[in-house]
Amino acid sequence: MSIAPSLMTVTSRITAQTALPEHPDNGVERGFVDTQVIVLAAKRLDELAAGWRESRLLNVAVLRALLLLTRRAPERADSGFDALEVAEAVGTVIGRPWVVGADWDDAADKVRQHWLNLISKTWPTKEEGVRQHFQQLGLDFVPELSREEGGGQGNPTRYRFRLVIASVAAVGEGQESVPTSAAEQSAQLSVGDVAYGDERVSYICEDVEDASWLARRFAQGFFLSGWRRHVLRGVFIVGIFSVWLSVLLVAQMMIAKRPLSESMNAAIAAAVFGYAFWSTLGTLLMLHQWRIALAPWWMQSVDDDRLVEWRCPPRHPDKSIKAVRYTAKCPLCGGKVVARSGSFMLAWKLVGRCEEAPAAHVFSFDHVRREGVRIT
């Protein structure tokens, strides 16, 4: 059951509040004191995490365990929960005991290991989409995961889920945050976050899942600096030079009046080589002009829904090429809208197609504003 309408009813109370002063012990900004909002936000994030492809991993189970503890005791969200509490909650999440007995050292080691995997691997790929999801709900705070190292007996390491004010720099990577009244937000989120009667969609940038070892380099962001920039430039130069050589070879054979069969074979070979070059590197070569395009075949999945995006200042801190996916919820049927190629009818364009009705529910795609309107 969707919690968005309930979450919206307390937004006005949250936006009117300010964060409490810095914590006197550790100098970290304390979270919001509205426990109802903390519970609803934890529930929302848990629903998102349950739908991730990585939801079966233990590091995601640790995250969901922390969210479960936060929902049970929201007044402790700021102080956090120790490793044994998290380990016991993991058992609830996965449906079987995770730590046998009350072995503190075993629980602490297990939770620490999977927490580090969560923070270093899974959460960085999900954080952007989670942040955008909360912002699309019209909220001005985002989830934050933290770990406060303990010291000595009686002062264990604690794990925390908190809500912090979304900074201007984090709002949609350059998008402006427009305040919306609670009434308008509730209307937009009617019936499970699908605003029936509205034919607009809001896209969320998701991480690329199950990428090959080469595609993972771009999924993590291929920074155009240092040796990487020179390597990519060298690959382009070699590919273009090879295509030109094949074209010159065909022209020379025609000038030399070689047999027609040999000239035809050379022309076909040149065409095949040119097509192979374009399908492999063509979109990357034109990315500087297009800014976003369909990813080449060696980055794609079976759904052909991966894109490559040119990211550069001022919207982004560094120049890079990043493999991404953009998805939204269909306002007509509630299905998933995925940004992909516009195919023959909309050549050279990217559009959002609903997976439930890909021919009937089609939307425009704007990767800067991350919005779209229905076009068919």
Side-chain angles (χ1 to χ4, degrees), residues 292-303:
I292 192 166
L294 191 68
W297 61 268
W298 49 272
M299 285 191 200
Q300 286 295 351
S301 64
V302 294
D303 298 322

Side-chain angles (χ1 to χ4, degrees), residues 145-199:
L145 306 179
S146 64
R147 174 174 175 265
E148 184 177 355
E149 192 71 32
Q153 188 174 5
N155 185 24
T157 298
R158 293 188 174 276
Y159 299 85
R160 301 184 299 181
F161 165 80
R162 302 192 307 167
L163 301 177
V164 297
I165 297 176
S167 64
V168 176
V171 178
E173 295 178 347
Q175 301 181 66
E176 294 183 356
S177 178
V178 180
T180 308
S181 68
E184 291 173 339
Q185 293 164 349
S186 298
Q188 293 171 358
L189 293 167
S190 60
V191 193
D193 295 346
V194 180
Y196 291 97
D198 186 6
E199 297 190 344

Side-chain angles (χ1 to χ4, degrees), residues 82-294:
D82 62 43
L84 187 57
E85 292 175 303
V86 174
E88 291 175 347
V90 169
T92 303
V93 171
I94 64 178
R96 55 183 173 81
W98 193 45
V99 176
V100 179
D103 190 336
W104 170 262
D105 291 334
D106 188 23
D109 289 342
K110 282 190 173 184
V111 172
R112 182 184 301 109
Q113 174 188 350
H114 292 293
W115 177 268
L116 293 177
N117 287 334
L118 171 68
I119 296 301
S120 63
K121 297 179 180 179
T122 305
W123 183 249
T125 65
K126 302 295 184 181
E127 187 175 11
E128 182 179 357
V130 170
R131 187 185 70 235
Q132 293 171 19
H133 181 85
F134 274 68
Q135 290 170 354
Q136 286 183 6
L137 296 179
L139 308 178
D140 60 356
F141 57 81
V142 293
E144 179 188 74
L145 306 179
S146 64
R147 174 174 175 265
E148 184 177 355
E149 192 71 32
Q153 188 174 5
N155 185 24
T157 298
R158 293 188 174 276
Y159 299 85
R160 301 184 299 181
F161 165 80
R162 302 192 307 167
L163 301 177
V164 297
I165 297 176
S167 64
V168 176
V171 178
E173 295 178 347
Q175 301 181 66
E176 294 183 356
S177 178
V178 180
T180 308
S181 68
E184 291 173 339
Q185 293 164 349
S186 298
Q188 293 171 358
L189 293 167
S190 60
V191 193
D193 295 346
V194 180
Y196 291 97
D198 186 6
E199 297 190 344
R200 302 179 65 88
V201 294
S202 296
Y203 293 97
I204 290 177
C205 181
E206 296 184 348
D207 63 298
V208 171
E209 301 167 333
D210 297 337
S212 63
W213 68 270
L214 184 57
R216 276 199 299 271
R217 299 297 303 174
F218 289 87
Q220 297 168 359
F222 189 90
F223 292 97
L224 301 176
S225 60
W227 64 269
R228 294 180 180 83
R229 179 180 181 181
H230 297 300
V231 168
L232 190 61
R233 181 179 296 175
V235 171
F236 287 149
I237 292 175
V238 170
I240 294 173
F241 183 70
S242 301
V243 172
W244 273 109
L245 279 181
S246 63
V247 173
L248 290 175
L249 179 62
V250 173
Q252 184 180 7
M253 294 184 68
M254 290 183 175
I255 293 175
K257 297 183 179 180
R258 304 283 295 181
L260 181 61
S261 60
E262 293 184 10
S263 299
M264 289 295 296
N265 290 337
I268 293 174
V272 170
F273 189 84
Y275 176 78
F277 169 78
W278 178 257
S279 62
T280 304
L281 296 174
T283 53
L284 297 180
L285 184 63
M286 299 298 294
L287 199 56
H288 183 272
Q289 179 180 350
W290 293 344
R291 300 291 177 172
I292 192 166
L294 191 68

